[in-house]
């Protein structure tokens, strides 16, 4: 084994020296930075006569490439499976090639070769190739008959298997068109998971056929806080706000994401952040009293009661959600659930007695574990925010560590998978600049460099427990983001730094990174993505 590794290493060293010998001084622009990139002399000229060949396994990725190139003013790649030796793009399936998301992209003078063991790797190779093609393709303004692509060899694979971005559509709702645009951006940066936060105190956003009042009542609030939560007196806009995604729209979005190698994790919050559902069905709460869909941000005492009716309701909801989302995970929330009502509720107290539980924290653990069993019975696994550790962690749960890293450390030491999303570094609703002209945000300060420097594996973990840190995620809570333009402003360019944290094995320095970010701005312009130009360092 070791002998083989040494022989291979020497082989790669010789090859690299050979390539270095003929490389020219050329700056990389790719985000996230690939593991290995070696520039060669010459250019491949992609033109209207370039042919392409590919195995059927890569059809989805090749369709993406074809559709991307069809945005030029001329027709490229007109010839298929017609192996021209002097102007050709060849996709190669190599089942022995490292991991499914890994790829090799070799751009020679007459031939581009893309090698991978899976459509995923081929897709990421195409996202890299896309960044080597002029950005005017992005807005359909490229007019030449030829595209010159610098000759190079890129070998690349991700550092983490979970690379996520989240979006809260409960506080503010965004169009299907924008959700697709967001997914497109994630795919371009080699993220593989979109965490769709679908239910909140301020609005329920997914159609559930068995419970129509979730869509007629829970999806709408009468008013929304105007200004900041801390303002006194608080002002409200007194305007009805809301809406939801129909199951047809959800299916369309799920398919759109799948074509881009993105898995969607739906989040159905429980037992807290459920005021909108309780507004529609007051019997789901402890008091049975009517409540309103929340008009203010924050944490509310109206949480689901632990009685049988609630479990029946949630199981019915999960039935419909599990049908819509083919991914392996359902996120059940679990965060910020005040126990005030449970303490006073005879139903909740009788469950505590019946199940021999110590207190309301153990009742939350019972609640989550019971839902976990149900979700497992549907062939899916649960993810929960780190509060699900309180009172005992459900047996197969994956933990999202948001209140710092301690929840993640504890869960990894218990051999549970962990996704790191500590608020200090991964919350993109924080301010990104101290500029006094910044638009209103929730608070906090997370400049670009803070994210760029982020190391998801806490140093407290030994190498065995570190394996349970499966990746990291950026969270986009939208209390203060009422438009998609503002979401983009908060996400870009900080998403670039996060993409390097989760993908890149060889991180460069911040100055080099920001030079790539600045050159990417042209592409964002063509993609009509609104971005901030703040490249703030940690001060
Ligand atoms: C959270 O930010 N409440 C997960
Ligand atoms: Zn109760």
């Amino acid at each position: 084994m070791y002998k083989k590794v040494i022989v291979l290493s020497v082989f790669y060293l010789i090859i690299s020296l050979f390539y270095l010998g003929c490389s020219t001084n050329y700056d990389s622009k790719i985000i996230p930075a690939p593991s290995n990139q070696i520039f060669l002399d010459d250019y491949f000229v992609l033109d209207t006569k370039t042919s392409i060949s590919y195995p059927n396994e890569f059809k989805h990725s090749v369709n993406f490439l074809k559709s991307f190139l069809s945005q030029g003013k001329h027709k490229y790649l007109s010839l298929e499976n017609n192996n021209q030796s002097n102007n050709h793009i060849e996709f190669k399936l190599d089942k022995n090639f490292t991991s499914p998301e890994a790829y090799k992209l070799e751009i020679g003078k007459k031939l581009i070769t893309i090698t991978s063991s899976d459509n995923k790797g081929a897709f990421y190779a195409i996202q890299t190739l896309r960044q080597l093609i002029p950005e005017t393709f992005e807005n359909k303004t490229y007019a030449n008959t030829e595209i010159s692509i610098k000759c190079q060899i890129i070998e690349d694979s991700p550092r983490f298997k979970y690379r996520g971005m989240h979006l809260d559509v409960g506080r503010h709702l965004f169009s299907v068109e924008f959700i697709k645009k967001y997914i497109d951006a994630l795919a371009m940066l080699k993220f593989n998971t979109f965490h769709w936060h679908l239910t909140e105190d301020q609005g329920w956003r997914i159609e559930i056929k068995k419970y129509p009042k979730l869509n007629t009542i829970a999806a709408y609030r009468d008013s929304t806080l105007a200004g900041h939560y801390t303002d006194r007196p608080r002002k409200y806009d007194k305007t009805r706000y809301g809406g939801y995604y129909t199951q047809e729209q959800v299916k369309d979005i799920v398919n759109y994401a799948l074509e881009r190698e993105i898995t969607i994790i739906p989040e159905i919050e429980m037992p807290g952040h459920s005021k909108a559902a309780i507004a529609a069905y007051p019997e789901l709460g402890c008091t049975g009293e009517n409540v309103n869909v929340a008009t203010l941000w924050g944490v509310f005492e109206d949480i689901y009661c632990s009685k049988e009716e609630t479990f029946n309701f949630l199981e019915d909801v999960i039935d419909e959600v599990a049908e819509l989302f083919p991914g392996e995970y359902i996120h059940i929330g679990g965060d910020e659930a005040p126990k005030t009502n449970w303490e006073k509720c005879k139903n909740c107290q009788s469950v505590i007695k019946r199940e021999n539980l110590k207190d309301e924290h153990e009742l939350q653990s019972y609640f989550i574990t019971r839902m976990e069993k149900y979700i497992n019975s549907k062939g899916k696994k649960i993810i929960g925010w780190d509060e699900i550790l309180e009172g005992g962690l459900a047996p197969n749960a994956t933990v999202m560590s948001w209140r710092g890293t301690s929840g993640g450390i504890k869960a990894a030491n218990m051999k549970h998978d962990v996704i790191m999303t500590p608020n200090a570094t991964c919350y993109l609703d924080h301010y990104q600049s101290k500029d006094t002209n910044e638009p209103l945000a929730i608070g906090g300060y997370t400049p670009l460099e803070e994210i760029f420097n982020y190391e998801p594996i806490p140093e407290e973990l030994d190498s065995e427990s570190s394996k349970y840190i499966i990746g990291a995620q950026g969270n986009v809570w939208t209390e203060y983001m009422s438009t998609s333009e503002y979401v983009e402003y908060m996400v870009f360019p900080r998403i670039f730094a996060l993409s390097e944290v989760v993908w890149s094995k060889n991180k460069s320095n911040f100055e080099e990174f920001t030079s790539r970010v600045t050159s990417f701005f042209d592409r964002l312009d063509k993609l009509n993505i609104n971005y901030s130009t703040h490249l703030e360092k940690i001060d």
Side-chain angles (χ1 to χ4, degrees), residues 320-495:
E320 294 192 30
V321 169
E323 274 293 308
L324 289 167
F325 294 91
E328 65 172 330
Y329 291 119
I330 292 180
H331 198 304
I332 48 74
D335 60 320
E336 300 179 320
K339 307 297 184 293
T340 342
N341 284 356
W342 283 6
E343 284 160 13
K344 294 183 287 203
C345 169
K346 75 173 181 356
N347 287 315
C348 288
Q349 292 303 319
S350 77
V351 179
I352 290 183
K353 218 182 211 153
R354 186 189 76 211
E355 300 297 326
N356 233 347
L357 306 172
K358 205 167 76 209
D359 56 15
E360 288 71 25
H361 291 297
E362 287 200 359
L363 181 56
Q364 160 136 343
S365 171
Y366 166 80
F367 196 115
I368 300 292
T369 303
R370 187 160 160 179
M371 288 310 298
E372 178 185 65
K373 271 197 203 118
Y374 190 74
I375 289 168
N376 288 167
S377 79
K378 312 230 95 190
K380 312 244 181 222
K381 299 197 277 195
I382 66 161
I383 300 184
W385 300 108
D386 57 56
E387 285 93 331
I388 65 169
L389 281 151
E390 292 165 12
L393 187 54
N396 308 307
T398 296
V399 172
M400 237 173 216
S401 188
W402 74 278
R403 295 175 303 173
T405 56
S406 58
I409 293 168
K410 190 167 171 201
N413 281 326
M414 291 163 73
K415 301 193 187 314
H416 281 252
D417 282 348
V418 171
I419 295 152
M420 295 306 284
T421 177
N423 50 11
T425 35
C426 294
Y427 271 37
L428 304 187
D429 56 343
H430 290 181
Y431 284 102
Q432 56 192 312
S433 165
K434 291 189 174 162
D435 191 327
T436 48
N437 294 323
E438 278 301 281
L440 193 65
I442 197 161
Y445 178 54
T446 304
L448 186 67
E449 191 185 24
E450 183 94 42
I451 302 181
F452 181 77
N453 286 349
Y454 177 54
E455 168 49 55
I457 306 222
E459 52 191 30
E460 292 89 338
L461 291 181
D462 62 21
S463 63
E464 184 51 36
S465 299
S466 301
K467 288 188 207 137
Y468 292 95
I469 308 292
I470 60 171
Q473 174 173 291
N475 289 344
V476 185
W477 302 102
T478 59
E479 286 94 334
Y480 297 91
M481 301 178 209
S482 59
T483 66
S484 57
E485 288 78 15
Y486 191 24
V487 170
E488 291 174 353
Y489 179 86
M490 296 302 271
V491 167
F492 290 89
R494 290 184 291 184
I495 190 174

Side-chain angles (χ1 to χ4, degrees), residues 502-532:
V502 289
W503 178 278
S504 301
K505 289 176 176 160
N506 300 322
K507 292 259 302 285
S508 60
N509 59 59
F510 188 62
E511 280 64 35
E512 188 280 337
F513 166 69
T514 50
S515 78
R516 279 182 289 125
V517 169
T518 315
S519 33
F520 214 111
F521 285 161
D522 270 351
R523 194 168 295 270
L524 295 185
D525 286 331
K526 302 296 182 294
L527 285 163
N528 196 26
I529 289 176
N530 186 35
Y531 55 90
S532 142

